Amino acid sequence: MASPPAPTPRTGLPREIAEGICGSYGATCQVTYTHEFDPTVNDSECVGATLQAAAAVLGREHVDSDHPANLSSEDLGVFARHVPGCFAFGGNGTEPDRGGDPLHSVDYDFNDDVLDLGVQYYVALIRTLLPEG
């Protein structure tokens, strides 16, 4: 099954924002916007398997199945155009120094206490996707 076509990002939006800010100060600007990555489009069957595995490990009350769309740069966007896939977020903390700092922050420190849950999730995902035997 092929993944759906990737949505087209609003390439004019950065220009509109920059021109609005500059215009409010009586300045002008020139904006060049390049779109380097395909948006990640999750395959619906993969989403179902992902949610099932996460709920089996964490309990349904700890799984957010209604996360808003996100147009971030992610290599999976390119892969998922060719092979069905699903990008899922795995929370690892909300407190500073325990996984709660932003991922690319100099202060980010992965919360090692959640590693076992990650392994359990992937085992459950494999068991969900592969037939027994």
Side-chain angles (χ1 to χ4, degrees), residues 91-102 107-112:
N92 73 4
T94 58
E95 299 299 319
D97 300 325
R98 304 244 337 129
D101 290 308
D107 297 320
Y108 181 76
D109 182 20
F110 186 85
N111 180 0
D112 293 340

Side-chain angles (χ1 to χ4, degrees), residues 54-123:
V57 173
L58 304 169
R60 182 137 324 266
E61 70 276 10
H62 297 291
V63 178
D64 180 3
S65 62
D66 192 29
H67 192 278
N70 184 326
L71 190 61
S72 59
S73 294
E74 178 55 51
D75 294 342
L76 184 64
V78 175
F79 298 130
R81 300 274 294 140
H82 304 282
V83 177
C86 176
F87 187 88
F89 291 100
N92 73 4
T94 58
E95 299 299 319
D97 300 325
R98 304 244 337 129
D101 290 308
L103 178 60
H104 296 290
S105 165
V106 68
D107 297 320
Y108 181 76
D109 182 20
F110 186 85
N111 180 0
D112 293 340
D113 294 341
V114 300
L115 286 172
D116 186 54
L117 290 173
V119 170
Q120 290 177 49
Y121 162 76
Y122 280 108
V123 168

Side-chain angles (χ1 to χ4, degrees), residues 7-11 33 35 37-41 68-74:
T8 304
R10 289 195 53 207
T11 56
Y33 177 85
H35 184 71
F37 298 95
D38 287 343
T40 300
V41 179
N70 184 326
L71 190 61
S72 59
S73 294
E74 178 55 51

Side-chain angles (χ1 to χ4, degrees), residues 22-66:
C22 288
S24 69
Y25 290 99
T28 60
C29 66
Q30 182 177 0
V31 176
T32 302
Y33 177 85
T34 61
H35 184 71
E36 306 298 323
F37 298 95
D38 287 343
T40 300
V41 179
N42 287 338
D43 177 81
S44 60
E45 289 182 30
C46 292
V47 170
T50 297
L51 293 173
Q52 183 179 345
V57 173
L58 304 169
R60 182 137 324 266
E61 70 276 10
H62 297 291
V63 178
D64 180 3
S65 62
D66 192 29

Side-chain angles (χ1 to χ4, degrees), residues 7-22:
T8 304
R10 289 195 53 207
T11 56
L13 186 58
R15 182 176 298 107
E16 293 170 20
I17 292 170
E19 288 173 350
I21 292 170
C22 288

